[in-house]
Amino acid sequence: MELIGEKLIPAPISATWEALNDAEVLKSCIAGCESLDHVQADMLAAQVALKIGPVKARFKGTLTLSDMNPPHSYVVSFEGQGGIAGFGKGSADVSLTEQGDQTLLRYSARAQVGGRLAQVGSRLIDAAAAKITEDFLCRLRSPVAAGQRRSGGESARRPRQSRSACHIAPGQCRRAEGQHSFLAGGRDAVAARIGCSGGG
């Protein structure tokens, strides 16, 4: 399975890079992520609740960041085990390009699943992975933008956003009930940071 795409993030490249290296932000952006903690400087332990079709399980695994080129690119590798549900592993190349006061995020992800997950069928898995990734990027935009408002001194003058609000055009931040992934890649650390939240 392979996913390739891009998303414009409404924040400078430095703020976007910081968010992509913040465990709390990443946890809030990965639907179904129950825990995400650093075990090494470049490795995080994750627990994610996943449901695709008839397969539902809690996966435990790791995220590893490598080939770091701040603030322009890195590689995220992941692997996890879900018991009888099977396993998932893969990697994603992530790059950031400055576009004025915004940042274009590009990604190219590859993933492999085994066990019962592999029996669900590639079409369903591919569709779920694409939806999960879109949800992740939708969620990422909100805390990054919120951080920019705080740094600009605007947060004190603005009412706190509802945790269920989404600063994305309608239809771009839809969630599939129970469809979760390590990757997202395929989007509650602090309420003020998250404009589009909702755990798994």
Side-chain angles (χ1 to χ4, degrees), residues 5-7 93-97 99 104-108:
E6 61 184 38
K7 180 70 70 174
D93 300 321
V94 180
S95 67
L96 304 177
T97 303
Q99 293 199 347
L104 182 64
L105 184 155
R106 292 188 175 95
Y107 61 90
S108 176

Side-chain angles (χ1 to χ4, degrees), residues 119-200:
Q119 300 172 13
V120 170
S122 60
R123 181 175 298 181
L124 180 58
I125 291 175
D126 289 353
K131 181 67 173 68
I132 291 162
T133 302
E134 180 64 21
D135 287 352
F136 175 89
L137 294 172
C138 171
R139 292 181 175 199
L140 177 66
R141 288 168 57 106
S142 295
V144 173
Q148 286 304 110
R149 291 198 297 271
R150 287 197 306 274
S151 66
E154 297 182 23
S155 60
R157 299 191 299 272
R158 296 189 179 187
R160 179 173 296 182
Q161 294 288 338
S162 166
R163 291 174 61 182
S164 62
C166 179
H167 301 288
I168 311 298
Q172 291 185 351
C173 183
R174 303 182 303 276
R175 296 185 59 213
E177 180 66 27
Q179 292 183 344
H180 307 316
S181 170
F182 297 108
L183 186 57
R187 321 175 248 231
D188 165 349
V190 179
R193 301 176 69 173
I194 308 301
C196 171
S197 68

Side-chain angles (χ1 to χ4, degrees), residues 9-185:
I9 307 299
I13 190 170
S14 58
T16 304
W17 175 262
E18 181 180 353
L20 288 171
N21 286 273
D22 187 317
E24 290 187 351
V25 172
L26 292 176
K27 178 178 179 292
S28 72
C29 292
I30 302 173
C33 186
E34 299 174 343
S35 65
L36 186 64
D37 303 295
H38 277 283
V39 292
Q40 297 180 18
D42 59 353
M43 180 180 294
L44 302 96
Q47 180 167 297
V48 180
L50 166 69
K51 184 178 186 297
I52 297 179
V55 180
K56 182 177 181 179
R58 181 167 283 105
F59 284 73
K60 294 183 178 181
T62 59
L63 292 176
T64 303
L65 310 180
S66 61
D67 297 343
M68 305 285 280
N69 180 27
H72 300 291
S73 64
Y74 68 15
V75 176
V76 184
S77 302
F78 63 94
E79 57 179 270
Q81 293 287 338
I84 62 173
F87 69 89
K89 63 180 180 179
S91 63
D93 300 321
V94 180
S95 67
L96 304 177
T97 303
E98 196 168 25
Q99 293 199 347
D101 59 354
Q102 302 186 87
T103 303
L104 182 64
L105 184 155
R106 292 188 175 95
Y107 61 90
S108 176
R110 302 152 297 283
Q112 177 184 353
V113 298
R116 290 184 60 194
L117 275 177
Q119 300 172 13
V120 170
S122 60
R123 181 175 298 181
L124 180 58
I125 291 175
D126 289 353
K131 181 67 173 68
I132 291 162
T133 302
E134 180 64 21
D135 287 352
F136 175 89
L137 294 172
C138 171
R139 292 181 175 199
L140 177 66
R141 288 168 57 106
S142 295
V144 173
Q148 286 304 110
R149 291 198 297 271
R150 287 197 306 274
S151 66
E154 297 182 23
S155 60
R157 299 191 299 272
R158 296 189 179 187
R160 179 173 296 182
Q161 294 288 338
S162 166
R163 291 174 61 182
S164 62
C166 179
H167 301 288
I168 311 298
Q172 291 185 351
C173 183
R174 303 182 303 276
R175 296 185 59 213
E177 180 66 27
Q179 292 183 344
H180 307 316
S181 170
F182 297 108
L183 186 57

